[in-house]
Amino acid sequence: MECLYFSADRCHSCTQMTVPYADQLQAKVDHCATSLAQFPDLQFLPPQASSESGFRNKAKMVISGTTDNPTIGILDADGHGVDLRNCGVCAPELRALFPVIERYIKELKMIPYSVPKRKGELKHVILTLSDTGAVMVRWVLRTKKHFVALRDSLPQFLELLPRYSVVSVNFLPEHKAVLEGEEEIILTRRTTLEFGLNGVPMHLRPQGFFQTNTEIAAALYRQARQWINDANPASVWDLYSGVGGFALHCAEGDRLVQGIETSTESVAAANLAAEELGQENTTFTAMDATEFALTAEQAPDAVVLNPPRRGISAELAQWLNASSVQHLVYSSCNTNSLARDLERLDGFSAKQARVMDMFPQTNHYEVIVRLERIAS
Protein backbone atom coordinates (compact mmCIF):
# COMPACT_ATOMS: atom_id res chain seq x y z
CA MET A 1 0.00 0.00 0.00
CA GLU A 2 1.20 3.51 -0.85
CA CYS A 3 0.25 6.58 1.19
CA LEU A 4 0.83 10.13 0.02
CA TYR A 5 0.46 11.43 3.57
CA PHE A 6 3.26 9.14 4.75
CA SER A 7 5.59 9.93 1.86
CA ALA A 8 4.91 13.67 2.28
CA ASP A 9 5.88 13.40 5.98
CA ARG A 10 2.41 14.56 7.07
CA CYS A 11 1.42 11.44 9.01
CA HIS A 12 3.48 8.59 10.43
CA SER A 13 0.72 6.77 12.31
CA CYS A 14 1.19 3.73 10.07
CA THR A 15 4.82 3.04 10.94
CA GLN A 16 5.15 0.03 8.60
CA MET A 17 3.71 1.71 5.51
CA THR A 18 6.85 1.12 3.41
CA VAL A 19 7.18 -2.56 4.39
CA PRO A 20 5.61 -5.15 2.02
CA TYR A 21 2.55 -6.65 3.65
CA ALA A 22 3.79 -10.25 3.55
CA ASP A 23 6.91 -9.13 5.43
CA GLN A 24 4.79 -7.24 7.98
CA LEU A 25 2.72 -10.33 8.70
CA GLN A 26 5.74 -12.62 9.02
CA ALA A 27 7.42 -10.14 11.37
CA LYS A 28 4.36 -10.24 13.62
CA VAL A 29 4.35 -14.02 13.67
CA ASP A 30 8.07 -14.05 14.50
CA HIS A 31 7.62 -11.45 17.23
CA CYS A 32 4.75 -13.39 18.78
CA ALA A 33 6.67 -16.68 18.65
CA THR A 34 9.68 -15.06 20.31
CA SER A 35 7.52 -13.41 22.98
CA LEU A 36 5.93 -16.77 23.84
CA ALA A 37 8.98 -18.97 23.33
CA GLN A 38 8.95 -20.11 26.97
CA PHE A 39 5.84 -22.23 26.32
CA PRO A 40 7.16 -25.38 24.61
CA ASP A 41 3.78 -26.99 23.94
CA LEU A 42 2.46 -23.98 22.03
CA GLN A 43 1.69 -24.64 18.37
CA PHE A 44 1.22 -21.68 16.03
CA LEU A 45 -1.57 -21.90 13.47
CA PRO A 46 -1.27 -19.99 10.17
CA PRO A 47 -1.80 -16.25 10.76
CA GLN A 48 -5.01 -14.54 9.72
CA ALA A 49 -4.13 -11.87 7.15
CA SER A 50 -6.13 -8.69 6.69
CA SER A 51 -6.90 -6.48 3.75
CA GLU A 52 -3.96 -4.11 3.36
CA SER A 53 -6.07 -0.97 2.92
CA GLY A 54 -9.56 0.25 3.70
CA PHE A 55 -9.78 -2.06 6.71
CA ARG A 56 -10.55 0.45 9.47
CA ASN A 57 -14.23 0.63 10.38
CA LYS A 58 -13.61 3.56 12.69
CA ALA A 59 -12.31 7.07 11.96
CA LYS A 60 -11.49 9.24 14.98
CA MET A 61 -10.93 12.59 13.31
CA VAL A 62 -9.77 15.81 14.93
CA ILE A 63 -11.54 18.88 13.55
CA SER A 64 -9.35 21.94 13.31
CA GLY A 65 -8.81 24.95 11.05
CA THR A 66 -11.72 27.34 10.52
CA THR A 67 -15.45 27.13 9.88
CA ASP A 68 -14.93 27.96 6.19
CA ASN A 69 -11.84 25.78 5.80
CA PRO A 70 -11.90 22.94 8.33
CA THR A 71 -9.31 20.19 8.51
CA ILE A 72 -10.44 16.63 9.19
CA GLY A 73 -7.61 14.44 10.46
CA ILE A 74 -4.98 14.80 13.17
CA LEU A 75 -2.92 17.48 14.88
CA ASP A 76 0.74 18.18 14.26
CA ALA A 77 3.31 18.68 17.03
CA ASP A 78 2.24 22.32 17.41
CA GLY A 79 -1.46 21.48 17.72
CA HIS A 80 -2.43 22.55 14.21
CA GLY A 81 -4.69 20.48 11.99
CA VAL A 82 -3.41 18.05 9.35
CA ASP A 83 -6.12 17.02 6.90
CA LEU A 84 -6.27 13.23 6.34
CA ARG A 85 -9.67 12.80 4.74
CA ASN A 86 -8.19 10.52 2.03
CA CYS A 87 -6.47 8.20 4.53
CA GLY A 88 -6.11 4.84 2.78
CA VAL A 89 -6.56 2.62 5.84
CA CYS A 90 -10.05 4.04 6.47
CA ALA A 91 -12.89 2.18 4.79
CA PRO A 92 -13.97 3.87 1.52
CA GLU A 93 -17.49 4.29 2.94
CA LEU A 94 -16.06 6.42 5.76
CA ARG A 95 -13.94 8.51 3.41
CA ALA A 96 -17.07 9.20 1.37
CA LEU A 97 -18.65 10.82 4.45
CA PHE A 98 -15.92 13.38 5.09
CA PRO A 99 -17.30 15.83 2.45
CA VAL A 100 -20.70 15.54 4.19
CA ILE A 101 -19.06 16.35 7.52
CA GLU A 102 -17.30 19.35 5.99
CA ARG A 103 -20.56 20.55 4.44
CA TYR A 104 -22.35 20.49 7.79
CA ILE A 105 -19.52 22.26 9.57
CA LYS A 106 -19.86 25.08 7.05
CA GLU A 107 -23.67 25.16 6.85
CA LEU A 108 -24.15 25.13 10.62
CA LYS A 109 -21.23 27.52 11.09
CA MET A 110 -19.61 25.24 13.64
CA ILE A 111 -16.39 26.60 15.09
CA PRO A 112 -13.49 24.08 15.13
CA TYR A 113 -11.66 23.89 18.43
CA SER A 114 -8.14 25.32 18.50
CA VAL A 115 -5.85 23.41 20.84
CA PRO A 116 -3.16 26.16 20.97
CA LYS A 117 -5.74 28.89 21.70
CA ARG A 118 -8.06 26.68 23.77
CA LYS A 119 -11.00 28.24 21.94
CA GLY A 120 -13.73 26.89 19.70
CA GLU A 121 -16.48 24.30 19.90
CA LEU A 122 -16.19 21.29 17.58
CA LYS A 123 -13.36 19.01 18.72
CA HIS A 124 -13.80 15.66 17.00
CA VAL A 125 -16.01 13.65 14.71
CA ILE A 126 -15.98 9.90 15.39
CA LEU A 127 -17.34 7.68 12.61
CA THR A 128 -17.96 3.92 12.85
CA LEU A 129 -19.00 1.74 9.93
CA SER A 130 -21.06 -1.43 10.35
CA ASP A 131 -20.79 -4.44 8.07
CA THR A 132 -24.42 -3.68 7.17
CA GLY A 133 -23.35 -0.36 5.62
CA ALA A 134 -24.89 1.80 8.34
CA VAL A 135 -22.72 4.29 10.22
CA MET A 136 -22.54 5.94 13.61
CA VAL A 137 -21.64 9.63 13.61
CA ARG A 138 -20.62 11.18 16.92
CA TRP A 139 -20.04 14.94 17.09
CA VAL A 140 -17.77 15.85 20.02
CA LEU A 141 -18.38 19.42 21.23
CA ARG A 142 -16.84 21.56 23.97
CA THR A 143 -20.19 23.08 25.01
CA LYS A 144 -23.83 22.96 23.92
CA LYS A 145 -23.39 26.00 21.65
CA HIS A 146 -23.97 24.02 18.42
CA PHE A 147 -26.23 21.36 19.88
CA VAL A 148 -29.59 22.85 18.85
CA ALA A 149 -28.38 23.40 15.28
CA LEU A 150 -27.21 19.78 15.06
CA ARG A 151 -30.46 18.49 16.53
CA ASP A 152 -32.68 20.58 14.27
CA SER A 153 -30.75 19.66 11.11
CA LEU A 154 -30.92 15.92 11.85
CA PRO A 155 -33.57 15.04 9.20
CA GLN A 156 -31.51 16.62 6.44
CA PHE A 157 -28.30 15.05 7.77
CA LEU A 158 -29.84 11.56 7.88
CA GLU A 159 -30.84 11.86 4.22
CA LEU A 160 -27.11 11.92 3.39
CA LEU A 161 -26.28 8.89 5.54
CA PRO A 162 -26.94 5.18 4.88
CA ARG A 163 -30.13 3.67 6.27
CA TYR A 164 -30.23 2.65 9.93
CA SER A 165 -27.47 5.07 10.91
CA VAL A 166 -27.02 6.53 14.41
CA VAL A 167 -26.13 10.14 15.24
CA SER A 168 -25.16 11.48 18.66
CA VAL A 169 -23.53 14.47 20.30
CA ASN A 170 -20.84 14.06 22.96
CA PHE A 171 -19.65 16.83 25.25
CA LEU A 172 -16.01 17.26 26.24
CA PRO A 173 -15.68 20.57 28.12
CA GLU A 174 -12.18 19.93 29.49
CA HIS A 175 -9.00 20.79 27.62
CA LYS A 176 -7.27 17.42 27.68
CA ALA A 177 -5.95 14.81 25.29
CA VAL A 178 -8.96 12.49 25.17
CA LEU A 179 -11.48 11.80 22.43
CA GLU A 180 -14.76 12.10 24.27
CA GLY A 181 -16.48 13.17 27.45
CA GLU A 182 -18.92 11.41 29.75
CA GLU A 183 -22.14 13.09 28.59
CA GLU A 184 -23.68 11.88 25.34
CA ILE A 185 -27.05 12.62 23.76
CA ILE A 186 -28.29 10.34 20.99
CA LEU A 187 -30.26 12.31 18.40
CA THR A 188 -31.71 9.45 16.38
CA ARG A 189 -34.53 7.12 17.38
CA ARG A 190 -32.15 4.26 16.68
CA THR A 191 -29.70 4.06 19.60
CA THR A 192 -27.36 1.25 18.51
CA LEU A 193 -25.31 0.53 15.41
CA GLU A 194 -26.13 -3.00 14.33
CA PHE A 195 -23.55 -5.51 13.09
CA GLY A 196 -24.08 -9.01 11.72
CA LEU A 197 -20.70 -10.74 11.97
CA ASN A 198 -20.84 -14.40 10.96
CA GLY A 199 -24.62 -14.20 11.09
CA VAL A 200 -24.54 -13.18 14.77
CA PRO A 201 -26.34 -9.89 15.59
CA MET A 202 -24.31 -7.42 17.60
CA HIS A 203 -25.06 -3.89 18.78
CA LEU A 204 -22.75 -0.96 19.45
CA ARG A 205 -23.83 1.99 21.55
CA PRO A 206 -22.01 5.34 21.19
CA GLN A 207 -19.56 4.81 24.07
CA GLY A 208 -19.15 1.07 23.58
CA PHE A 209 -16.06 -0.67 22.19
CA PHE A 210 -15.85 -2.61 18.95
CA GLN A 211 -12.78 -3.93 17.15
CA THR A 212 -11.57 -1.52 14.45
CA ASN A 213 -11.11 -4.21 11.77
CA THR A 214 -14.43 -5.93 11.06
CA GLU A 215 -12.90 -8.59 8.80
CA ILE A 216 -10.42 -9.73 11.45
CA ALA A 217 -12.92 -9.38 14.30
CA ALA A 218 -15.16 -11.85 12.47
CA ALA A 219 -12.24 -14.26 12.03
CA LEU A 220 -11.25 -13.84 15.68
CA TYR A 221 -14.74 -14.75 16.86
CA ARG A 222 -14.88 -17.74 14.49
CA GLN A 223 -11.62 -19.08 15.90
CA ALA A 224 -12.81 -18.75 19.49
CA ARG A 225 -16.12 -20.38 18.62
CA GLN A 226 -14.35 -23.31 16.97
CA TRP A 227 -12.15 -23.94 20.01
CA ILE A 228 -15.05 -23.64 22.42
CA ASN A 229 -17.27 -25.94 20.36
CA ASP A 230 -14.45 -28.49 20.06
CA ALA A 231 -14.19 -28.53 23.88
CA ASN A 232 -18.01 -28.59 24.12
CA PRO A 233 -18.32 -27.09 27.62
CA ALA A 234 -21.71 -26.91 29.30
CA SER A 235 -20.95 -23.42 30.63
CA VAL A 236 -18.75 -20.51 29.49
CA TRP A 237 -17.74 -17.17 30.96
CA ASP A 238 -16.72 -14.34 28.64
CA LEU A 239 -14.70 -12.02 30.87
CA TYR A 240 -14.15 -8.45 29.60
CA SER A 241 -16.98 -9.21 27.17
CA GLY A 242 -17.48 -5.78 25.62
CA VAL A 243 -20.54 -5.86 23.34
CA GLY A 244 -20.57 -9.65 23.61
CA GLY A 245 -18.71 -10.81 20.50
CA PHE A 246 -17.14 -13.91 22.01
CA ALA A 247 -20.08 -14.82 24.23
CA LEU A 248 -22.66 -14.51 21.46
CA HIS A 249 -20.54 -16.62 19.11
CA CYS A 250 -20.11 -19.30 21.78
CA ALA A 251 -23.83 -19.47 22.61
CA GLU A 252 -25.19 -22.75 21.35
CA GLY A 253 -28.01 -25.05 22.40
CA ASP A 254 -28.43 -25.29 26.17
CA ARG A 255 -24.94 -23.96 26.93
CA LEU A 256 -24.90 -21.43 29.77
CA VAL A 257 -22.96 -18.32 28.72
CA GLN A 258 -22.23 -15.40 31.04
CA GLY A 259 -20.58 -12.18 29.84
CA ILE A 260 -18.92 -9.80 32.31
CA GLU A 261 -18.05 -6.22 31.36
CA THR A 262 -17.66 -2.98 33.36
CA SER A 263 -19.29 -0.78 30.68
CA THR A 264 -23.03 -0.57 31.26
CA GLU A 265 -23.49 0.68 27.69
CA SER A 266 -21.82 -2.43 26.29
CA VAL A 267 -23.76 -4.74 28.60
CA ALA A 268 -27.07 -3.23 27.49
CA ALA A 269 -26.10 -3.70 23.85
CA ALA A 270 -24.98 -7.30 24.43
CA ASN A 271 -28.18 -8.25 26.25
CA LEU A 272 -30.19 -6.79 23.36
CA ALA A 273 -28.30 -9.02 20.91
CA ALA A 274 -28.85 -12.09 23.10
CA GLU A 275 -32.58 -11.38 23.10
CA GLU A 276 -32.58 -11.12 19.29
CA LEU A 277 -30.79 -14.47 19.09
CA GLY A 278 -33.35 -16.00 21.39
CA GLN A 279 -30.54 -17.15 23.67
CA GLU A 280 -32.22 -17.23 27.07
CA ASN A 281 -29.15 -18.93 28.54
CA THR A 282 -26.83 -16.08 27.50
CA THR A 283 -26.72 -13.09 29.85
CA PHE A 284 -24.44 -10.13 30.48
CA THR A 285 -23.66 -8.33 33.72
CA ALA A 286 -21.92 -5.02 34.40
CA MET A 287 -19.18 -5.90 36.89
CA ASP A 288 -15.42 -6.11 37.30
CA ALA A 289 -14.14 -9.45 35.95
CA THR A 290 -11.92 -10.27 38.92
CA GLU A 291 -14.60 -9.36 41.43
CA PHE A 292 -17.15 -11.48 39.57
CA ALA A 293 -14.89 -14.53 39.57
CA LEU A 294 -13.86 -14.21 43.21
CA THR A 295 -17.46 -13.95 44.39
CA ALA A 296 -19.01 -16.57 42.07
CA GLU A 297 -20.66 -19.58 43.68
CA GLN A 298 -19.61 -21.94 40.92
CA ALA A 299 -16.95 -21.96 38.18
CA PRO A 300 -17.77 -22.62 34.51
CA ASP A 301 -16.22 -25.33 32.32
CA ALA A 302 -14.53 -22.78 30.04
CA VAL A 303 -13.53 -19.11 30.18
CA VAL A 304 -12.81 -16.64 27.39
CA LEU A 305 -10.47 -13.82 28.39
CA ASN A 306 -10.25 -10.63 26.32
CA PRO A 307 -8.71 -8.10 28.72
CA PRO A 308 -7.34 -4.61 27.96
CA ARG A 309 -3.65 -4.21 27.15
CA ARG A 310 -2.61 -4.51 30.79
CA GLY A 311 -3.89 -8.11 30.89
CA ILE A 312 -5.64 -9.87 33.76
CA SER A 313 -5.01 -9.37 37.46
CA ALA A 314 -2.81 -11.69 39.51
CA GLU A 315 -5.87 -12.45 41.65
CA LEU A 316 -7.89 -13.62 38.65
CA ALA A 317 -5.02 -15.82 37.44
CA GLN A 318 -4.73 -17.35 40.91
CA TRP A 319 -8.48 -17.98 41.03
CA LEU A 320 -8.44 -19.64 37.60
CA ASN A 321 -5.58 -21.94 38.67
CA ALA A 322 -7.47 -23.03 41.77
CA SER A 323 -10.85 -23.35 40.04
CA SER A 324 -12.45 -26.27 38.21
CA VAL A 325 -12.23 -24.47 34.84
CA GLN A 326 -10.89 -26.88 32.21
CA HIS A 327 -10.48 -24.71 29.11
CA LEU A 328 -9.30 -21.14 28.48
CA VAL A 329 -9.29 -18.98 25.35
CA TYR A 330 -7.22 -15.82 25.75
CA SER A 331 -7.35 -13.00 23.18
CA SER A 332 -4.68 -10.34 23.60
CA CYS A 333 -3.36 -7.24 21.85
CA ASN A 334 -0.19 -7.13 23.99
CA THR A 335 2.21 -10.08 24.01
CA ASN A 336 4.12 -8.68 26.99
CA SER A 337 1.13 -8.88 29.34
CA LEU A 338 0.01 -12.10 27.62
CA ALA A 339 3.34 -13.84 28.31
CA ARG A 340 3.21 -12.71 31.94
CA ASP A 341 -0.35 -13.96 32.33
CA LEU A 342 0.36 -17.32 30.68
CA GLU A 343 3.18 -17.82 33.19
CA ARG A 344 0.80 -16.94 36.03
CA LEU A 345 -1.73 -19.45 34.69
CA ASP A 346 0.49 -22.37 35.65
CA GLY A 347 -2.50 -24.65 36.14
CA PHE A 348 -2.97 -24.60 32.37
CA SER A 349 -0.88 -25.46 29.31
CA ALA A 350 -0.91 -23.17 26.26
CA LYS A 351 -1.64 -25.43 23.29
CA GLN A 352 -2.38 -23.33 20.21
CA ALA A 353 -1.99 -19.70 19.15
CA ARG A 354 -2.91 -17.70 16.08
CA VAL A 355 -1.82 -14.22 15.09
CA MET A 356 -4.78 -12.15 13.87
CA ASP A 357 -3.63 -9.06 11.96
CA MET A 358 -6.07 -6.53 13.34
CA PHE A 359 -3.77 -3.56 12.61
CA PRO A 360 -1.98 -3.75 9.21
CA GLN A 361 0.66 -1.12 8.42
CA THR A 362 1.65 -1.05 12.12
CA ASN A 363 3.60 -3.29 14.51
CA HIS A 364 0.44 -4.10 16.46
CA TYR A 365 -1.61 -7.27 16.19
CA GLU A 366 -4.02 -9.49 18.07
CA VAL A 367 -3.20 -13.05 19.12
CA ILE A 368 -5.60 -15.69 20.37
CA VAL A 369 -4.42 -18.63 22.49
CA ARG A 370 -6.07 -21.90 23.52
CA LEU A 371 -5.15 -23.37 26.93
CA GLU A 372 -6.07 -26.62 28.62
CA ARG A 373 -6.06 -27.63 32.28
CA ILE A 374 -2.94 -29.62 33.22
CA ALA A 375 -4.02 -33.02 34.49
CA SER A 376 -3.12 -33.54 38.13
Side-chain angles (χ1 to χ4, degrees):
M1 174 183 168
E2 293 185 4
C3 176
L4 295 178
Y5 298 124
F6 187 90
S7 58
D9 205 31
R10 297 179 66 187
C11 175
H12 286 174
S13 298
C14 298
T15 58
Q16 301 299 297
M17 186 61 69
T18 60
V19 180
Y21 182 66
D23 294 343
Q24 291 183 36
L25 189 58
Q26 186 59 51
K28 293 177 182 184
V29 172
D30 293 344
H31 179 270
C32 189
T34 300
S35 299
L36 304 180
Q38 66 269 45
F39 306 103
D41 296 334
L42 188 58
Q43 171 199 8
F44 277 84
L45 301 178
Q48 177 65 57
S50 169
S51 301
E52 295 182 42
S53 62
F55 55 84
R56 280 192 65 93
N57 61 27
K58 192 170 188 177
K60 300 175 285 189
M61 310 303 276
V62 179
I63 307 300
S64 191
T66 65
T67 299
D68 294 328
N69 187 27
T71 62
I72 303 174
I74 60 174
L75 298 178
D76 63 18
D78 297 322
H80 300 117
V82 178
D83 199 282
L84 298 179
R85 67 183 71 191
N86 292 314
C87 174
V89 299
C90 287
E93 296 89 340
L94 293 181
R95 297 200 299 270
L97 289 178
F98 294 146
V100 177
I101 298 299
E102 179 182 29
R103 169 181 165 180
Y104 265 75
I105 292 173
K106 293 179 178 179
E107 288 188 359
L108 301 185
K109 301 186 184 304
M110 287 190 275
I111 306 168
Y113 184 75
S114 170
V115 171
K117 296 180 181 179
R118 300 194 176 195
K119 293 181 179 181
E121 296 295 325
L122 177 58
K123 293 187 172 184
H124 309 114
V125 172
I126 304 173
L127 307 176
T128 305
L129 173 70
S130 166
D131 59 333
T132 67
V135 296
M136 179 182 291
V137 180
R138 302 174 62 208
W139 301 92
V140 182
L141 304 178
R142 183 177 67 90
T143 72
K144 290 184 168 64
K145 179 181 177 67
H146 296 311
F147 174 74
V148 173
L150 283 168
R151 183 195 62 193
D152 292 349
S153 67
L154 181 65
Q156 294 77 24
F157 187 49
L158 286 176
E159 289 180 359
L160 302 176
L161 301 180
R163 292 183 65 190
Y164 309 122
S165 292
V166 179
V167 180
S168 70
V169 178
N170 180 277
F171 299 99
L172 178 60
E174 301 89 355
H175 178 85
K176 57 183 180 181
V178 295
L179 277 174
E180 60 191 42
E182 294 182 3
E183 183 182 2
E184 185 123 14
I185 299 175
I186 300 176
L187 301 180
T188 49
R189 293 177 62 183
R190 187 175 295 273
T191 60
T192 66
L193 183 66
E194 297 183 18
F195 288 78
L197 274 66
N198 306 313
V200 176
M202 299 173 65
H203 291 265
L204 177 68
R205 292 180 66 84
Q207 295 195 25
F209 169 79
F210 196 85
Q211 299 283 7
T212 58
N213 187 325
T214 305
E215 173 189 13
I216 300 302
L220 183 70
Y221 296 143
R222 288 196 302 270
Q223 183 64 74
R225 178 170 61 187
Q226 177 188 326
W227 282 343
I228 290 295
N229 286 345
D230 287 346
N232 196 27
S235 55
V236 177
W237 287 355
D238 177 7
L239 301 183
Y240 314 94
S241 56
V243 295
F246 288 108
L248 294 167
H249 277 76
C250 293
E252 188 169 300
D254 295 331
R255 182 178 294 155
L256 299 175
V257 180
Q258 176 73 63
I260 303 300
E261 166 62 43
T262 57
S263 168
T264 55
E265 295 285 331
S266 295
V267 166
N271 277 320
L272 176 60
E275 290 177 13
E276 291 183 354
L277 274 173
Q279 287 288 344
E280 296 181 358
N281 292 330
T282 301
T283 57
F284 297 86
T285 302
M287 193 172 180
D288 174 76
T290 299
E291 180 184 355
F292 175 81
L294 268 57
T295 57
E297 295 182 359
Q298 186 174 355
D301 299 326
V303 173
V304 178
L305 299 165
N306 184 30
R309 288 188 60 83
R310 64 179 179 271
I312 67 174
S313 66
E315 293 81 6
L316 179 55
Q318 184 179 8
W319 182 89
L320 286 166
N321 286 329
S323 73
S324 60
V325 174
Q326 296 298 306
H327 307 277
L328 295 179
V329 174
Y330 192 136
S331 180
S332 172
C333 61
N334 181 356
T335 53
N336 290 330
S337 60
L338 173 63
R340 179 206 65 206
D341 289 345
L342 294 184
E343 287 187 345
R344 286 174 171 174
L345 292 165
D346 54 15
F348 298 83
S349 175
K351 295 297 186 182
Q352 289 181 305
R354 189 177 189 188
V355 168
M356 317 292 285
D357 195 11
M358 193 75 70
F359 314 102
Q361 315 304 338
T362 76
N363 289 319
H364 303 291
Y365 58 89
E366 195 93 7
V367 58
I368 186 167
V369 182
R370 180 179 68 83
L371 301 92
E372 293 180 358
R373 168 74 64 183
I374 297 174
S376 56

